[in-house]
Amino acid sequence: MLKRFLKDESGATVVEYGLIVAIICAAIITGAVEVADGLRSLWGNSDSELRQALN
């Protein structure tokens, strides 16, 4: 029974898939933050330029 338990690797596969999903999620979150910062900068510059043009 102990040998059969030690040979069973199905739990290891679940852990590996979990790690892969965690890495993909971290990459998506990092990319989303970078895009948000870029858009914030773009709209901030546009806002200040528009305000200057209207004054």
Side-chain angles (χ1 to χ4, degrees):
M1 185 170 154
L2 182 60
K3 287 182 181 182
R4 188 174 60 196
F5 175 74
L6 293 175
K7 282 181 135 183
D8 185 16
E9 295 182 1
S10 61
T13 306
V14 172
V15 172
E16 291 167 357
Y17 284 138
L19 289 172
I20 291 169
V21 169
I23 291 168
I24 291 171
C25 288
I28 289 171
I29 290 169
T30 302
V33 168
E34 292 295 323
V35 168
D37 288 343
L39 288 175
R40 190 174 300 118
S41 174
L42 174 71
W43 287 109
N45 291 340
S46 299
D47 180 51
S48 63
E49 290 177 14
L50 183 60
R51 287 179 191 269
Q52 287 177 356
L54 292 174
N55 287 331

